[in-house]
Amino acid sequence: MEEVTEGVNNMAITEPHKKNRIQVSNTKKPLFFYVNLAKRYMQQHEEVELSALGMAIATVVTVAEILKNNGLAVAKKIMTSTVDVTDDSRNRPIQKAKIEIVLGKTEKFDELMAAAEEEREAAKAEEQS
């Protein structure tokens, strides 16, 4: 797991940082942290890029599918590759699978997000009364 985290950290150094890229780890944050973060990124930008290495790939795919199944996103591009990551325990390079998924807003994105916000506000008002 530490290898994946290190790989993600190294990736940020070697590639130019994109404002709409989320580098996912399956050890640091819960799944819905990434789902909600992707929603916020899509509110600010027309698309979001989800990126992961190794075991975190399943998390990225799950996040993308949740957004797609809720009608918030469409997959624009899916890229897979391998990257060399240095394994500290053996001090030699190993190859890790990498995935990048670019998601774009659906036409109903803003409408669905507004409806969800209204539901949250109604629930909050009900709690306070």
Side-chain angles (χ1 to χ4, degrees):
M1 296 303 161
E2 292 158 31
E3 297 160 355
V4 174
T5 304
E6 178 191 328
V8 170
N9 291 339
N10 289 345
M11 193 167 56
I13 294 167
T14 59
E15 295 179 13
H17 184 70
K18 294 182 181 177
K19 286 183 169 43
N20 64 337
R21 172 183 283 169
I22 300 171
Q23 294 176 328
V24 176
S25 164
N26 61 345
T27 58
K28 288 185 178 178
K29 303 281 184 192
L31 176 70
F32 275 89
F33 169 83
Y34 293 111
V35 171
N36 292 324
L37 185 60
K39 287 179 189 178
R40 277 188 280 161
Y41 275 40
M42 284 194 293
Q43 284 176 321
Q44 296 170 357
H45 310 281
E46 285 301 305
E47 59 186 34
V48 65
E49 181 180 312
L50 302 170
S51 174
L53 295 176
M55 301 295 283
I57 289 173
T59 304
V60 163
V61 171
T62 304
V63 169
E65 286 301 310
I66 289 169
L67 293 167
K68 284 169 43 183
N69 291 338
N70 287 329
L72 296 169
V74 290
K76 288 186 162 185
K77 192 196 255 182
I78 300 173
M79 298 165 288
T80 59
S81 61
T82 55
V83 293
D84 289 326
V85 178
T86 304
D87 181 357
D88 284 340
S89 64
R90 289 177 244 155
N91 205 14
R92 64 183 176 102
I94 57 172
Q95 287 202 319
K96 287 277 186 187
K98 177 181 176 181
I99 192 167
E100 294 173 281
I101 301 175
V102 179
L103 299 174
K105 287 183 183 181
T106 60
E107 290 179 12
K108 292 186 174 183
F109 177 86
D110 293 322
E111 183 183 322
L112 291 168
M113 291 298 287
E117 182 61 31
E118 285 177 21
E119 285 178 26
R120 276 193 296 276
E121 288 175 10
K124 190 186 281 185
E126 198 172 294
E127 281 179 16
Q128 293 174 350
S129 56

